[in-house]
Amino acid sequence: MAAAPVRIDVPTPSRAYSVTIGDGTIDEIGRMLDELRAPARRFVVSSPLVWRLHGAQLARVVGGTEPILVPDGERYKQLATVSRIYDALVRVNADRASTVITFGGGVIGDMAGFAAATYLRGVALVHVPTTLLAQVDSAIGGKVGVNHPLGKNMIGSFYQPHAVLIDPQVLATLPRREFRAGLYEVIKYGMTSSRPLFDRVAGERKPIFARAPEALTAIIAESCRIKASVVADDEREAGPRRILNFGHTAGHAIEAVTKYRRFRHGEAVGYGMLVAAELARSRGALADRDRQALADVVASLGPLPPINDLSATQMLEAMQHDKKVVAGKLHFVLPTAIGATTIVDDVTEKELRAALKQVGFAK
Ligand SMILES: NC(=O)c1ccc[n+]([C@@H]2O[C@H](COP(=O)([O-])OP(=O)(O)OC[C@H]3O[C@@H](n4cnc5c(N)ncnc54)[C@H](O)[C@@H]3O)[C@@H](O)[C@H]2O)c1
Ligand SMILES: [Zn+2]
């Protein structure tokens, strides 16, 4: 028999909801939505691929109307695609008594979540994330939105879902690279907030890569717990939520300088964490043993795309444009041990250059 599902509460000021994680959760969706008294008319937004792979399972329990299918590559994460979702909702006369169910990775969740936040000034939203990244990160916390041609995630809002339902079984079909990309975010949670989670990823690599349901449920649940507690304390990212940006200052810069083509987001965060750890080590804030443990676990997930053709100068330039620059100062989340961090705003260019070089960037 499958283990009982894990439930995690997310008590944000704007809405309290729960995240349910467990094998076969999808089969329980109908019942869960009824229990939640989610408005009766239910519309699923998904992508053709995800629907082809897993739609039948969801259709059985949600029933009724045809899904709204939109493309889910990052380049489709734009207002034009959201507009197609509005069109479909209008066409089926979706009213206030409707629930939008997102069924896909972070791109579908962010776009359909934004549509749900704005259609009729907001209808009920339930996320059923199908990538590891979406399950441990994007489905929780209420950030929804799309890209603008001039920048990622520039248009959006905070809109908490009514529920998040996670079924690790859907990850069986996820391409290995996408799966690994999500694992770097799991390592991020371990490094910032939980030594046991960090050790679990390092120690249970085999069952995790085999996508054994128990191993996955354990790391997903622990990641969700961390994200939920941070989000509950700081819904709009005024303070504590910023620790989840660990690895993201350099990570975003890597994505930007390679024009979002070479790296999956999580892979860039993999390097970003190494840069932050190296900065911390060079300041004496992190033991070299802990930096090495991070480097080892990152390396153990497999090779990352190369960075030796990217220069520290390019990276510094890109970081200046980051959203984490507040009043001209770049904020860095630095690890102080495995499971602990500090936020600093006094990293000098010289330190940063040295750390980038140490991690393998060119001059
Ligand atoms: N809202 C937030 O807080 C938040 C946080 C982190 C990231 N994000 C956003 O999430 C997006 C990235 O999400 P992602 O990594 O899930 O990428 P994605 O949504 O593009 O999905 C990656 C690929 O996996 C496919 N896929 C999805 N589920 C599958 C399954 N079960 N089996 C096989 N293939 C499957 C998709 O079709 C897609 O091709 C970015 O746009 C990022 O900005 C948002
Ligand atoms: Zn991230």
Side-chain angles (χ1 to χ4, degrees):
M1 219 186 81
V6 179
R7 227 187 89 157
I8 295 159
D9 294 320
V10 194
T12 71
S14 67
R15 191 183 341 270
Y17 56 100
S18 68
V19 180
T20 307
I21 305 139
D23 256 2
T25 313
I26 288 187
D27 296 325
E28 302 294 317
I29 283 175
R31 194 180 50 73
M32 284 182 189
L33 293 181
D34 292 342
E35 251 174 46
L36 278 170
R37 304 223 177 91
R41 302 190 59 213
R42 290 159 192 176
F43 300 100
V44 178
V45 182
S46 187
S47 77
L49 174 67
V50 173
W51 191 254
R52 182 162 58 73
L53 292 169
H54 300 286
Q57 198 186 355
L58 189 63
R60 262 205 316 274
V61 278
V62 179
T65 48
E66 287 290 301
I68 298 168
L69 300 184
V70 291
D72 66 353
E74 188 68 36
R75 74 203 148 99
Y76 293 104
K77 188 174 150 181
Q78 44 160 303
L79 281 175
T81 313
V82 173
S83 216
R84 284 175 57 181
I85 301 174
Y86 295 139
D87 293 346
L89 290 170
V90 171
R91 222 176 296 125
V92 293
N93 296 317
D95 56 14
R96 273 256 153 86
S98 302
T99 301
V100 168
I101 300 169
T102 76
F103 188 50
V107 169
I108 289 289
D110 280 13
M111 289 195 300
F114 185 65
T118 45
Y119 182 72
L120 300 179
R121 297 197 182 79
V123 295
L125 170 67
V126 171
H127 286 304
V128 185
T130 65
T131 62
L132 182 58
L133 180 115
Q135 295 188 341
V136 299
D137 191 354
S138 64
I140 306 169
K143 284 193 195 173
V144 294
V146 293
N147 302 328
H148 182 274
L150 295 181
K152 271 204 45 142
N153 297 325
M154 280 181 56
I155 300 157
S157 67
F158 284 95
Y159 192 68
Q160 301 295 343
H162 287 63
V164 180
L165 303 174
I166 297 177
D167 192 337
Q169 280 178 2
V170 297
L171 301 181
T173 55
L174 196 64
R176 189 175 167 91
R177 189 171 177 196
E178 297 293 346
F179 183 73
R180 286 175 51 210
L183 279 177
Y184 298 104
E185 298 279 1
V186 174
I187 292 172
K188 174 194 79 177
Y189 290 118
M191 199 64 196
T192 58
S193 317
S194 166
R195 168 123 221 177
L197 175 59
F198 183 92
D199 289 343
R200 199 185 266 276
V201 178
E204 294 190 9
R205 222 175 61 241
K206 263 202 166 148
I208 290 171
F209 271 101
R211 308 192 197 176
E214 320 75 63
L216 291 181
T217 299
I219 60 169
I220 294 167
E222 188 55 22
S223 300
C224 289
R225 244 180 234 117
I226 294 165
K227 176 122 192 203
S229 84
V230 172
V231 162
D233 286 348
D234 180 18
E235 187 175 8
R236 300 181 74 95
E237 204 170 319
R241 192 167 175 171
R242 291 197 325 225
I243 71 164
L244 299 185
N245 287 328
F246 170 56
H248 283 60
T249 309
H252 284 149
I254 293 171
E255 290 183 276
V257 301
T258 53
K259 306 205 159 44
Y260 298 92
R261 290 200 191 114
R262 189 185 301 180
F263 288 85
R264 295 299 298 149
H265 168 72
E267 295 172 332
V269 171
Y271 277 121
M273 293 191 290
L274 299 183
V275 172
E278 175 56 26
L279 274 172
R281 186 210 57 81
S282 69
R283 293 183 153 209
L286 178 72
D288 192 51
R289 178 183 45 175
D290 291 344
R291 183 205 57 77
Q292 190 61 49
L294 173 68
D296 288 346
V297 71
V298 166
S300 78
L301 299 192
L304 287 166
I307 48 166
N308 55 8
D309 60 330
L310 309 176
S311 74
T313 306
Q314 272 178 297
M315 287 286 293
L316 286 164
E317 163 78 7
M319 280 186 238
Q320 288 312 315
H321 293 122
D322 196 276
K323 275 187 283 194
K324 287 176 288 303
V325 175
V326 180
K329 286 199 164 160
L330 193 56
H331 286 66
F332 256 97
V333 182
L334 299 186
T336 52
I338 293 171
T341 57
T342 180
I343 296 182
V344 299
D345 65 359
D346 61 347
V347 173
T348 64
E349 186 182 319
K350 189 161 164 248
E351 275 182 285
L352 198 42
R353 267 184 198 282
L356 288 164
K357 253 192 77 195
Q358 190 63 31
V359 170
F361 290 88
K363 279 202 183 130

